[in-house]
Amino acid sequence: MINIIKHLIPFKAKTKFWLTILSLKNKDAFTFMAKGLERPKVFIFLAADYGNLGDVAITYAQHKFLQNCYPNHLVTEIPISKTLDGIAFVKKTRTSKDIMTIVGGGNMGDLYPMIEHFRQLVIQNFPENRIICFPQTVDFSETPKGQKALKKAIRVYSKHPDLTLLAREKKSHQFFKEHFPKNKSLLSPDIVMGLDRSESKFGRKGALICLREDKEKKRTQHEEQVLLEIVDSYFGNHINRDTHIGGRGYPLIARVRALFRIWEDFKKAELVVTDRLHGMIFCYITRTPALVFLNNNHKVKSCHAWIQDAHWISLLENWDSENIKKAIQSVTSDNSSFTGTSVQNKFQELTRNLRES
């Protein structure tokens, strides 16, 4: 009976109830920080502690970026599974010098309503602090549900006096300027592109397949079969590796170790075949030859624009077996040097903008 009642209570009502309960706790009951409370702080809300290694990489890269951008601040992650505890704790300890940040990614919109609700809770609960939403792909659908969610987001975002929205591609940036004109918006690459994991102690051998099996999958079963046959004809065989390992509630050390392991797997491969955005980005930061296919939305193609001069990555927008063969030969024979200067310049520009603000 109790479980039935729990399921009947709306998610938003439950979060409001628990925030009220948590607000009654003493700050010493929380365990987010053991030291450094006297320093100004930068908090990372919605930090990924689940098995999507793309989101884990975003959290990791955002932490590194903030340490560089604000060297006098203490950077602290609030795991998404502890969002309500984190809001209650930070409200008890914050000062006007503290900065609230929210992780980047592709979860702004109505596709992931729980995450969007958490984002809005952070924005609503810290009206006196600066808030920065790190590079996002925004996606509010044209359905009645999506448009209702967009109207609520506009109300919540627009009320905050110092909210900066970062878009990781031009389509989202235009959306921000059109729908959130009261908030500052900037265009920036996905924060993971700022990492350099190209140094390797491994030799490369074989192919690695990193393809989606979820609602963003675009390829057909026949196309995948043909693709694998082509890849195996060049490399003998392949291994399968996904950027999503499942599970939730991973402690910090465990999720960082999992992230480093997948980067090592990429650096061991002669070729990676992927339709995942962060599969592509992992190839970029590890300098791994890659064939990249589109998923069923615009984020892969839009974010590829930042790294289109990375010659070891080939984006194949249309399915054609001969083009696949040509692309394999091209990316695996490319020996040109590349420093990622254009992307790094964008992150330097972002640092200047955030510091000046």
Side-chain angles (χ1 to χ4, degrees):
M1 177 63 73
I2 294 177
N3 287 334
I4 294 175
I5 294 174
K6 285 182 178 179
H7 285 298
L8 291 175
I9 300 173
F11 174 72
K12 294 179 182 179
K14 285 189 283 189
T15 58
K16 184 177 181 180
F17 170 78
W18 280 113
L19 263 181
T20 302
I21 296 298
L22 291 167
S23 68
L24 302 176
K25 294 174 67 173
N26 186 282
K27 67 179 182 180
D28 296 329
F30 300 94
T31 58
F32 290 108
M33 292 187 299
K35 58 184 178 179
L37 288 175
E38 70 283 355
R39 293 169 58 186
K41 298 169 285 296
V42 179
F43 293 98
I44 303 176
F45 278 94
L46 312 190
D49 61 348
Y50 47 91
N52 186 325
L53 295 182
D55 290 349
V56 172
I58 289 173
T59 302
Y60 176 86
Q62 185 168 325
H63 196 132
K64 294 291 185 184
F65 176 87
L66 289 168
Q67 286 178 321
N68 177 68
C69 189
Y70 301 107
N72 296 322
H73 285 63
L74 177 69
V75 181
T76 301
E77 296 180 16
I78 307 292
I80 191 169
S81 63
K82 299 291 184 180
T83 298
L84 301 183
D85 300 73
I87 290 173
F89 169 74
V90 176
K91 287 185 74 172
K92 292 177 181 294
T93 61
R94 66 153 203 91
T95 71
S96 60
K97 294 181 181 179
D98 295 340
I99 301 171
M100 311 300 163
T101 74
I102 303 173
V103 293
N107 50 48
M108 182 180 285
D110 61 302
L111 186 59
Y112 302 98
M114 291 175 64
I115 299 178
E116 178 60 28
H117 180 59
F118 281 153
R119 177 181 293 105
Q120 292 180 21
L121 282 179
V122 174
I123 294 170
Q124 289 172 318
N125 276 276
F126 300 103
E128 298 177 1
N129 289 85
R130 185 179 184 201
I131 298 180
I132 306 167
C133 288
F134 266 64
Q136 275 279 346
T137 294
V138 60
D139 187 16
F140 286 95
S141 67
E142 295 296 328
T143 65
K145 177 186 173 184
Q147 292 306 293
K148 181 179 178 181
L150 174 58
K151 289 179 181 178
K152 183 174 184 291
I154 292 172
R155 289 198 305 270
V156 173
Y157 292 13
S158 299
K159 286 182 180 179
H160 198 284
D162 194 2
L163 171 63
T164 299
L165 304 173
L166 305 182
R168 66 181 179 182
E169 24 71 25
K170 291 182 179 179
K171 186 174 180 179
S172 291
H173 190 216
Q174 185 58 43
F175 187 95
F176 286 157
K177 290 191 293 184
E178 179 181 350
H179 295 281
F180 305 102
K182 293 184 179 180
N183 304 117
K184 182 177 181 179
S185 61
L186 299 170
L187 180 63
S188 170
D190 185 291
I191 201 69
V192 181
M193 291 182 183
L195 298 175
D196 182 358
R197 305 295 302 185
S198 58
E199 185 177 350
S200 178
K201 59 185 177 182
F202 308 106
R204 294 188 182 275
K205 185 176 181 180
L208 185 149
I209 307 298
C210 181
L211 294 171
R212 309 190 75 104
E213 291 295 345
D214 58 14
K215 55 190 173 184
E216 293 188 41
K217 172 181 175 179
K218 184 179 181 180
R219 71 192 182 282
T220 67
Q221 196 65 35
H222 174 71
E223 288 172 343
E224 181 174 339
Q225 181 180 348
V226 173
L227 171 62
L228 296 182
E229 290 174 355
I230 293 173
V231 170
D232 288 348
S233 71
Y234 280 89
F235 302 99
N237 55 26
H238 64 269
I239 63 170
N240 293 298
R241 188 73 163 87
D242 201 352
T243 60
H244 205 305
I245 60 174
R248 62 182 66 184
Y250 287 99
L252 178 62
I253 293 177
R255 57 187 187 258
V256 171
R257 282 177 177 169
L259 189 60
F260 284 11
R261 279 196 295 270
I262 196 170
W263 287 341
E264 289 180 357
D265 288 344
F266 273 49
K267 287 189 281 190
K268 293 176 183 177
E270 293 177 79
L271 177 76
V272 167
V273 179
T274 188
D275 58 357
R276 283 193 175 274
L277 172 60
H278 283 95
M280 177 182 74
I281 294 175
F282 289 175
C283 290
Y284 174 72
I285 66 174
T286 60
R287 210 184 185 287
T288 300
L291 299 189
V292 180
F293 295 90
L294 300 181
N295 65 343
N296 67 358
N297 58 44
H298 68 91
K299 65 183 181 182
V300 171
K301 182 178 180 180
S302 297
C303 289
H304 178 263
W306 293 107
I307 57 173
Q308 57 186 335
D309 52 350
H311 305 298
W312 63 93
I313 295 177
S314 178
L315 178 66
L316 298 172
E317 298 185 41
N318 299 307
W319 184 266
D320 182 277
S321 58
E322 290 305 312
N323 284 341
I324 292 173
K325 295 175 184 178
K326 292 177 182 178
I328 291 175
Q329 295 171 351
S330 174
V331 298
T332 55
S333 64
D334 173 56
N335 295 313
S336 60
S337 60
F338 180 76
T339 60
T341 303
S342 59
V343 173
Q344 294 305 321
N345 286 343
K346 293 301 296 184
F347 285 117
Q348 292 172 9
E349 179 183 333
L350 177 61
T351 299
R352 288 194 299 271
N353 280 326
L354 295 183
R355 284 177 177 172
E356 290 170 0
S357 297

